[in-house]
C-alpha cells in the first residue's frame, strides 16, 4: 500500500472521531447543501458520466437528478439512530447505535454517481467516514463527488476517492483502520471481497448481479408491458444489475404480445451519447461488448433461437438483440450485461414462477397482471429482493434495495440503510 493511501486512511480515521460527535441534525444540514449542489450542477456532472462510460446524456442528467432526490431524502430523514428506551425492570435499558468508523466502498462504472452516493450518503449520515475505490474508467466521477462533499462543507476526509487498482482492495480492506465494506459489482468480485472481510471479521454488504424476470401474464396490459419491457432491458444499454433480462411470457398471449414488444424494442437505435435525443448508445468498453458477443454465441450454440439478431455496429455498440431460450441453456446461469434480452414461454402461473426462480440470482423481478390474487402469488413466491407489479424495476430512496441468493445481501436505501454500518449496543443497569 502506498504512503498516499496510508495517509488517506489515517485522515479518514481521524475525521471519523470528530465526525461521529456531530449531531444528526447538523449532519443533515450538510446533506441539504450537497443535494442543492447536485441539482445546480446536474448538466456539468452528467457530462462527466457520458464522457467516462458512454451513457446517453439524458440518462446521465437523470442519474444526477436521482442522486439529488436521494440525498434530499436523507437530508430530511427521521433520526432512527437515536437511543431507544426498552421497558424492563432495570433503571437503564436502552439500545444505542454507534457508527463503526472508516467504511470502504468498492463501486462500479455503470452508474458512476448513483452507486457511490447510494452507499456513501446514509453511511456518512450514520456517523461513519468513507473511502471509495471507484471503477478505473470512472476516477473522474469519484473525484467530482469528493469535491462536491468538500464544497458542501463536509469536514476534510469524511469522503475520499482512492485512485487505486483493483489489486489493492484486499490490502485496504485488511487494514485495521477500515471497519467494513460495501461492494456493488459482479458475483466473483463480491465473493472475493466477502471472503477477505470474513477472514478479518468485518461486515460486508454486497449488491451483485441479476438476471431479473419480467413476467407477462394473460390479463396484463400488453401495450404497457411491451413498452416497459423494452425500457427495462435497454436503458443504460442494458448495463444494469436490476434490468429486466428474462422475459417470461404466458403462452396464451405470446402471439399478441411479441409483435408489440419487438416494435418497442426496435425503437432503440444506437446514437451519439451527447445528443439529448439518444436513448441508447454503446457499451462502456470494447471488452464488455466482446464478452456479450461470446455469451450470445454460446446461447445460440445451445439451442437459442434468434428473434432479433444482436448486430455489432462498432467497437462498443450493438443493434439490440432478442433470443428465445429454453430451460437448460447455460446462458441462463449468467448475467447478460448489455443490450441482449431472453424470451421464455410459460404455460401457466406455476410454470412462470418456476422459470423465474430457477436461476442463481435473486435481485429484482417484475410481474404484469391485473388480478390481485395472482399478484399476491408472485409477491409471496418470487425469490428476489424486490418484486415490481405492473411496472419495470427501479430503485426508490424511500424503499429498501437489496438482493437474495447470489445477488447479494444487506440493505441500501430507505431508513434501514442507516443501520447497515453501525454497531448495535445494549446499555443496561441500575
Amino acid at each position: 500500500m502506498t504512503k498516499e493511501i496510508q495517509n488517506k486512511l489515517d485522515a479518514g480515521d481521524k475525521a471519523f472521531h470528530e465526525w461521529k460527535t456531530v449531531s444528526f441534525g447538523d449532519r443533515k444540514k450538510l446533506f441539504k447543501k450537497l443535494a442543492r449542489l447536485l441539482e445546480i450542477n446536474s448538466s456539468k456532472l452528467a457530462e462527466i458520466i457520458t464522457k467516462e462510460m458512454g451513457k446517453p446524456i439524458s440518462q446521465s442528467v437523470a442519474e444526477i437528478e436521482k442522486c439529488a432526490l436521494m440525498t434530499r431524502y436523507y437530508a430530511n430523514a427521521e433520526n432512527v439512530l437515536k437511543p431507544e428506551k426498552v421497558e424492563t425492570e432495570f433503571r437503564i435499558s436502552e439500545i444505542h447505535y454507534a457508527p463503526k468508523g472508516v467504511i470502504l466502498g468498492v463501486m462500479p462504472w455503470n452508474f458512476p454517481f448513483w452507486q457511490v452516493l447510494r452507499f456513501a450518503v446514509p453511511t456518512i449520515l450514520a456517523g461513519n467516514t468513507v473511502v471509495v475505490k471507484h471503477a478505473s474508467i470512472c476516477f473522474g466521477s469519484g473525484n467530482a463527488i469528493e469535491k462536491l462533499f468538500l464544497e458542501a462543507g463536509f469536514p476534510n476526509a469524511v469522503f475520499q476517492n482512492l485512485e487505486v487498482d483493483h489489486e489493492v482492495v484486499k490490502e485496504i480492506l485488511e487494514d485495521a483502520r477500515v471497519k467494513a465494506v460495501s461492494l456493488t459489482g459482479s458475483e466473483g468480485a463480491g465473493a472475493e471481497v466477502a471472503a477477505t472481510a470474513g477472514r478479518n471479521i468485518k461486515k460486508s454488504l454486497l449488491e451483485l448481479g441479476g438476471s431479473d424476470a419480467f413476467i407477462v401474464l394473460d390479463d396484463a396490459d400488453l401495450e404497457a408491458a411491451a413498452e416497459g419491457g423494452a425500457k427495462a432491458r435497454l436503458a443504460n444499454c442494458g448495463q444494469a444489475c436490476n434490468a429486466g433480462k428474462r422475459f417470461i411470457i404466458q403462452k396464451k398471449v405470446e402471439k399478441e404480445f411479441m409483435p408489440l414488444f419487438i416494435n418497442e424494442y426496435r425503437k432503440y437505435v444506437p446514437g451519439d451519447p451527447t445528443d439529448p435525443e439518444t436513448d441508447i448508445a454503446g457499451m462502456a468498453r470494447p471488452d464488455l461488448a466482446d464478452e456479450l458477443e461470446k455469451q450470445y454465441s454460446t446461447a445460440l450454440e445451445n439451442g437459442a433461437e434468434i428473434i432479433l439478431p444482436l448486430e455489432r455496429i462498432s467497437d462498443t455498440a450493438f443493434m439490440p438483440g432478442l433470443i428465445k431460450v429454453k430451460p437448460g441453456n447455460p446462458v441462463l446461469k449468467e448475467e447478460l450485461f448489455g443490450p441482449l434480452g431472453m424470451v421464455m414461454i410459460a404455460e401457466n402461473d406455476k410454470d412462470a414462477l418456476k422459470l423465474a426462480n430457477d436461476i442463481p440470482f435473486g435481485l429484482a423481478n417484475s410481474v404484469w397482471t391485473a388480478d390481485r390474487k395472482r399478484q399476491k402469488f408472485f409477491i409471496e413466491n418470487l425469490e428476489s429482493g424486490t418484486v415490481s407489479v405492473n411496472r419495470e424495476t427501479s430503485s426508490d430512496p424511500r424503499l429498501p434495495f437489496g438482493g437474495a441468493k447470489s445477488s447479494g445481501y444487506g440493505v441500501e436505501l430507505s431508513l434501514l440503510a442507516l443501520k447497515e454500518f453501525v454497531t448495535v449496543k445494549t446499555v443496561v443497569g441500575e
Side-chain angles (χ1 to χ4, degrees), residues 92-330:
I92 303 173
S93 187
E94 297 176 345
I95 301 170
H96 290 216
Y97 299 96
K100 289 183 175 293
V102 181
I103 312 299
L104 170 64
V106 183
M107 297 291 116
W109 47 262
N110 57 333
F111 292 93
F113 275 70
W114 171 251
Q115 303 281 17
V116 171
L117 289 170
R118 186 178 73 179
F119 149 68
V121 170
T123 301
I124 292 172
L125 181 56
N128 302 289
T129 58
V130 158
V131 291
V132 166
K133 188 279 181 230
H134 213 321
S136 58
I137 64 172
C138 293
F139 285 162
S141 294
N143 288 329
I145 295 170
E146 183 173 340
K147 289 177 182 177
L148 286 170
F149 271 93
L150 292 173
E151 189 176 347
F154 285 84
N156 185 52
V158 166
F159 179 101
Q160 296 182 90
N161 182 56
L162 308 180
E163 291 192 15
V164 297
D165 294 332
H166 174 73
E167 290 74 17
V168 187
V169 169
K170 180 175 181 290
E171 193 175 357
I172 294 172
L173 181 52
E174 289 176 333
D175 191 283
R177 290 163 290 192
V178 174
K179 306 303 181 185
V181 61
S182 176
L183 176 140
T184 298
S186 68
E187 184 180 355
E192 185 179 340
V193 164
T196 300
R199 282 194 300 270
N200 290 273
I201 321 299
K202 297 181 181 181
K203 181 169 184 178
S204 59
L205 184 155
L206 305 178
E207 196 269 277
L208 308 179
S211 187
D212 297 346
F214 191 100
I215 303 166
V216 180
L217 302 180
D218 57 6
D219 64 340
D221 182 334
L222 298 184
E223 290 186 358
E227 181 180 356
K231 181 181 178 182
R233 173 66 287 207
L234 299 176
N236 200 26
C237 199
Q239 299 169 123
C241 295
N242 64 342
K245 298 183 175 82
R246 296 175 301 130
F247 296 88
I248 300 173
I249 315 304
Q250 190 168 357
K251 190 173 183 178
K252 288 182 181 179
V253 290
E254 178 185 2
K255 289 183 179 180
E256 185 179 357
F257 175 76
M258 287 306 299
L260 297 171
F261 186 36
I262 291 169
N263 182 60
E264 292 293 335
Y265 215 82
R266 282 178 166 153
K267 292 178 181 179
Y268 288 78
V269 178
D272 177 1
T274 65
D275 184 344
E277 299 300 316
T278 296
D279 52 20
I280 187 170
M283 296 180 66
R285 301 193 311 261
D287 63 301
L288 298 170
D290 293 342
E291 178 61 26
L292 186 67
E293 272 194 323
K294 290 178 183 177
Q295 291 174 303
Y296 178 60
S297 296
T298 298
L300 297 180
E301 289 167 4
N302 285 273
E305 301 173 20
I306 296 174
I307 300 172
L308 291 174
L310 182 72
E311 297 181 28
R312 194 164 183 171
I313 58 177
S314 74
D315 60 344
T316 60
F318 293 95
M319 290 298 294
L322 267 179
I323 53 177
K324 192 173 184 179
V325 178
K326 293 181 180 180
N329 195 307

Side-chain angles (χ1 to χ4, degrees), residues 211-220 246-253 325 327 332 342-359 361 365-369 374-375 377-379 381-384 387 405:
S211 187
D212 297 346
F214 191 100
I215 303 166
V216 180
L217 302 180
D218 57 6
D219 64 340
R246 296 175 301 130
F247 296 88
I248 300 173
I249 315 304
Q250 190 168 357
K251 190 173 183 178
K252 288 182 181 179
V253 290
V325 178
L332 291 167
M342 296 176 283
V343 173
M344 306 183 79
I345 305 303
E347 293 291 337
N348 50 44
D349 291 15
K350 289 185 179 180
D351 189 31
L353 179 69
K354 181 180 178 181
L355 292 174
N357 286 340
D358 190 24
I359 60 165
F361 304 105
N365 292 310
S366 176
V367 60
W368 295 68
T369 173
R374 298 175 91 181
Q375 292 174 7
F377 170 76
F378 283 96
I379 289 168
N381 292 289
L382 282 168
E383 298 169 352
S384 58
V387 177
K405 301 194 288 188

Side-chain angles (χ1 to χ4, degrees), residues 19 21-31 125 154:
W19 178 246
T21 67
V22 176
S23 72
F24 192 84
D26 285 342
R27 291 178 206 156
K28 290 203 302 180
K29 291 176 183 177
L30 293 177
F31 280 108
L125 181 56
F154 285 84

